[in-house]
């Protein structure tokens, strides 16, 4: 079993509250718009990190992290990308691939809108953790925490970090 902390859209912001949750996880997954790589460097000092770059990320971030990160965690096929859309409205760049070879767990960021929903057509779970950073239109900073036990995604929690400003 693995305890996962999922965050996105930090936009160069990391603080003690985020790091407290990092320390409680087995792995941290970042769905892009990292900003300054000091964010991911701080996370990597504490825990294993899987991440993708987002639209605001510079060339250095794009060299370190992929646009799409697809991997297995326990028995779950996971796909993380930054601009992915959501069930029924997937980004055109990934639409064909997700329809022909859907993962069990599809994760994206970008919208700053916390969203967890099933895609019953593709038999997957879509997650967007909202935004953990302080830049953007979101009012409340959010992350997700869950466990993967063999091929089960369980004990999903929404973590509200606090107000954006």
């Amino acid at each position: 079993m693995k305890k996962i902390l999922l965050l996105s859209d930090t936009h160069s912001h990391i603080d003690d509250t985020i790091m407290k949750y990092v320390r409680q996880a087995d792995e941290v997954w970042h769905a892009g718009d990292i900003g300054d790589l000091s964010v991911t460097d701080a996370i990597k000092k504490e825990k294993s990190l899987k991440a993708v770059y987002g639209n605001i990320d510079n060339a250095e971030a794009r060299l370190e992290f992929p646009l799409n990160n697809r991997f297995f965690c326990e028995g779950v096929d996971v796909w993380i990308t930054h601009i992915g859309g959501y069930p029924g409205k997937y980004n055109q760049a990934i639409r064909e691939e997700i329809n022909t070879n859907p993962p069990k767990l599809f994760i994206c960021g970008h919208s700053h809108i916390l969203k967890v929903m099933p895609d019953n057509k593709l038999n997957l779970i879509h997650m967007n953790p909202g935004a953990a950073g302080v830049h953007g239109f979101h009012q409340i900073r959010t992350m997700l925490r869950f466990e993967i036990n063999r091929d089960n995604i369980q004990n999903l929690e929404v973590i509200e970090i606090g107000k954006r400003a």
Side-chain angles (χ1 to χ4, degrees):
M1 181 180 70
K2 294 227 175 160
K3 295 177 183 178
I4 308 299
L5 177 67
L6 174 60
L7 67 157
S8 186
D9 295 276
T10 48
H11 293 261
S12 301
H13 179 81
I14 189 108
D15 59 30
D16 291 340
T17 303
I18 293 171
M19 291 306 297
K20 175 183 86 169
Y21 288 102
V22 165
R23 291 182 192 100
Q24 294 171 6
D26 295 321
E27 289 186 7
V28 178
W29 300 349
H30 195 302
D33 277 3
I34 297 159
D36 192 290
L37 289 183
S38 62
V39 170
T40 49
D41 290 346
I43 293 168
K44 287 190 295 185
K45 284 180 184 173
E46 299 288 336
K47 297 294 173 168
S48 172
L49 172 70
K50 290 182 172 57
V52 296
Y53 70 79
N55 56 294
I56 67 118
D57 292 317
N58 65 18
E60 187 180 8
R62 291 167 191 242
L63 286 173
E64 184 166 348
F65 300 108
L67 174 63
N68 295 292
N69 194 348
R70 190 152 184 184
F71 57 91
F72 277 86
C73 180
E74 301 273 309
V76 175
D77 182 2
V78 179
W79 182 354
I80 305 175
T81 193
H82 184 61
I83 303 175
Y86 55 91
K89 301 275 185 185
Y90 293 114
N91 183 330
Q92 188 173 0
I94 58 106
R95 194 174 299 146
E96 183 177 338
E97 171 86 17
I98 202 165
N99 282 316
T100 58
N101 186 19
K104 182 168 185 166
L105 177 56
F106 180 69
I107 295 168
C108 63
H110 186 62
S111 70
H112 292 218
I113 299 170
L114 174 73
K115 188 179 289 191
V116 177
M117 61 191 294
D119 182 331
N120 295 323
K121 181 181 172 198
L122 297 179
N123 196 29
L124 64 81
I125 297 171
H126 167 270
M127 290 185 186
N128 183 324
V134 296
H135 299 290
F137 67 88
H138 59 285
Q139 297 301 307
I140 303 294
R141 299 168 48 226
T142 57
M143 302 183 294
L144 292 172
R145 180 166 58 179
F146 56 94
E147 297 170 351
I148 296 182
N149 188 359
R150 291 190 218 95
D151 64 348
N152 295 311
I153 301 162
Q154 59 192 36
N155 298 323
L156 175 67
E157 298 175 75
V158 171
I159 298 168
E160 291 188 353
I161 308 168
K163 292 192 183 241
R164 175 177 52 83

